[in-house]
Amino acid sequence: VPQEEIGTNLIINHNRCIVCYRCVRFEEEKVGQSNLGLFERGNHSLIGLANDEPIDHNYQGALADICPVGALLNNKTLFKSRVWWYKSHSSVCHGCSTGCNVTTNVRDNKMYRYMVKENYEKGMFFLCDKGRFDIDWMNENRLLAYLEKGKPSTSVDVIPKISDLIQKSNGIDILGGAHESNENLEKIKKALPEISKAFADKTIIMEVRVSDPQYKETEQVDFLLTKDSHPNTKGAVDLGLTLSNGLNDIESLVNSGKVDVVFIIKEEVPNFLKGKATLVVLDTNLTVSAQEADFAVPIKIFAEEAGSFTNKNGLKQNFEKSMESPQGLPSSAEFFQRLLTSANVKKEEVLLGNG
């Protein structure tokens, strides 16, 4: 029997299939759909589509995982590499606030795939497609240079200019950060009072919540995926990196002119900030926000460091470093430390009469 495509990202090889019925049960019991069924009789029995339309749900990767004989295959990972060429590391899925345990497969410093890492103690056995296959951004379209008004620059030019902006500003806000590890956020929190002091006690505030789901109790899209697409909202909130009224406070402060420099960590620029404040975007990729900001700073992706995320249930989970970062690229915390160093150097120059 020839193999056939039964999903938008799923192939079945009927010659391998042992008709164990696992895939049918998984869909019915976990996904809540009945796309697959058992057809024919006796030694002609086979698993096939019960509907005219191909499978298009969020768990086609999980169907391939649970197949004991490799009869179900995903197009997106098929024939990409020999599995023994991968370097594997324990990690945490970045796709939402659930924090599924994964094993990363890396080859030539390129992320090829996530595989489920079963955690019996925490009841983690599956991985949704949104988290599993959302990895291309780690390998493509990376932001590798500082930008000034969308044009490539260097840290030597950009950091002193940002320092001057802070020196002349009325107040500073840091927005976002729920994609960052607990360790990076702790370092940023620790650095903020020092940065404020270095810049004549400038007011610096931080709010990590930028989307509605981050302000609400956990809302599930399905049995794993949540509406909060940030892996570390809980960790950031636990660190106290929030304001009482969230984005409303920031909008009010920006409109009143009390905040006029805003750092945005790996988020889209909110509309209420455009044209009303100097924007410094810290991002891993060359996004529209990075290109349109006054300044853009390249930072490491989470997989280029070791750290931890805190999931929706308050479970703090460590992840290993899976990839090497481009040489010289800072983490978000390291950038703020460089900013502090720049301010202190300038202060010393002024004291010595060279500023």
Side-chain angles (χ1 to χ4, degrees):
V1 180
Q3 69 179 25
E4 61 177 321
E5 294 193 15
I6 59 173
T8 54
N9 181 30
L10 194 66
I11 298 170
I12 185 167
N13 185 323
H14 292 290
N15 295 321
R16 294 180 180 178
C17 180
I18 58 172
V19 198
C20 68
Y21 218 63
R22 274 189 181 185
C23 53
V24 179
R25 285 187 58 200
F26 174 80
E27 277 209 317
E28 292 178 349
E29 296 176 15
K30 302 299 290 186
V31 183
Q33 296 185 19
S34 298
N35 296 297
L36 296 172
L38 181 63
F39 299 93
E40 304 295 343
R41 301 174 70 180
N43 64 351
H44 296 291
S45 297
L46 54 79
I47 299 292
L49 283 174
N51 305 308
D52 294 332
E53 297 297 319
I55 297 169
D56 64 354
H57 59 61
N58 196 29
Y59 290 91
Q60 296 178 63
L63 286 172
D65 277 346
I66 64 172
C67 179
V69 292
L72 293 172
L73 308 163
N74 295 125
N75 295 345
K76 291 183 178 179
T77 54
L78 196 61
F79 305 130
K80 299 296 183 184
S81 174
R82 299 293 187 186
V83 294
W84 51 86
W85 290 341
Y86 292 136
K87 293 182 179 179
S88 299
H89 303 273
S90 296
S91 192
V92 177
C93 178
H94 64 276
C96 77
S97 60
T98 299
C100 297
N101 291 183
V102 300
T103 297
T104 60
N105 287 163
V106 176
R107 176 186 166 198
D108 298 330
N109 208 39
K110 179 180 178 181
M111 186 70 71
Y112 272 76
R113 64 178 185 175
Y114 279 176
M115 296 297 288
V116 174
K117 183 179 181 182
E118 294 184 351
N119 186 332
Y120 290 88
E121 291 182 1
K122 305 302 178 184
M124 296 182 181
F125 304 100
F126 305 109
L127 184 64
C128 79
D129 288 358
K130 181 184 181 298
R132 183 191 298 265
F133 297 114
D134 180 30
I135 58 173
D136 289 342
W137 63 274
M138 299 189 198
N139 307 317
E140 302 169 358
N141 196 38
R142 289 292 300 274
L143 178 61
L144 299 175
Y146 286 74
L147 301 181
E148 182 177 355
K149 301 289 186 182
K151 296 181 180 179
S153 186
T154 65
S155 60
V156 174
D157 293 326
V158 168
I159 291 179
K161 290 180 179 179
I162 295 175
S163 294
D164 289 340
L165 282 171
I166 295 175
Q167 193 69 55
K168 298 172 184 176
S169 71
N170 297 322
I172 301 101
D173 172 54
I174 301 172
L175 185 60
H179 290 289
E180 299 298 297
S181 67
N182 287 309
E183 290 70 22
N184 268 339
L185 293 175
E186 287 170 1
K187 290 175 184 175
I188 292 172
K189 182 180 180 180
K190 183 178 179 181
L192 293 187
E194 299 177 44
I195 294 173
S196 175
K197 184 178 179 181
F199 287 102
D201 294 323
K202 294 286 183 183
T203 299
I204 304 178
I205 58 175
M206 185 167 181
E207 174 57 74
V208 297
R209 299 167 298 175
V210 298
S211 62
D212 288 340
Q214 291 179 283
Y215 289 85
K216 302 175 182 177
E217 292 295 319
T218 301
E219 295 179 292
Q220 296 291 145
V221 175
D222 53 44
F223 78 96
L224 281 184
L225 181 66
T226 69
K227 290 185 178 181
D228 181 7
S229 60
H230 301 78
N232 202 27
T233 296
K234 177 65 173 170
V237 170
D238 287 348
L239 283 170
L241 302 176
T242 59
L243 302 173
S244 57
N245 294 311
L247 290 180
N248 291 331
D249 281 344
I250 296 171
E251 185 172 8
S252 177
L253 290 168
V254 169
N255 288 336
S256 67
K258 293 180 180 178
V259 165
D260 50 6
V261 175
V262 180
F263 292 85
I264 301 173
I265 305 177
K266 201 168 169 53
E267 300 287 356
E268 292 184 9
V269 177
N271 289 328
F272 71 81
L273 287 177
K274 294 179 180 177
K276 294 185 178 180
T278 300
L279 301 178
V280 182
V281 171
L282 284 66
D283 214 322
T284 57
N285 293 78
L286 187 59
T287 61
V288 173
S289 293
Q291 291 174 308
E292 293 181 349
D294 296 283
F295 296 98
V297 177
I299 58 173
K300 297 175 183 177
I301 62 176
F302 81 96
E304 291 168 345
E305 299 181 284
S308 65
F309 291 143
T310 303
N311 78 351
K312 62 185 181 183
N313 299 320
L315 177 64
K316 187 175 181 180
Q317 302 183 106
N318 296 324
F319 55 83
E320 297 175 347
K321 179 180 178 180
S322 298
M323 303 166 67
E324 294 295 329
S325 64
Q327 189 171 3
L329 211 65
S331 66
S332 55
E334 288 167 345
F335 165 73
F336 285 105
Q337 190 61 48
R338 290 183 186 183
L339 201 58
L340 176 61
T341 301
S342 174
N344 289 333
V345 168
K346 191 162 187 177
K347 187 183 291 186
E348 290 176 7
E349 290 177 346
V350 171
L351 290 173
L352 292 171
N354 298 324

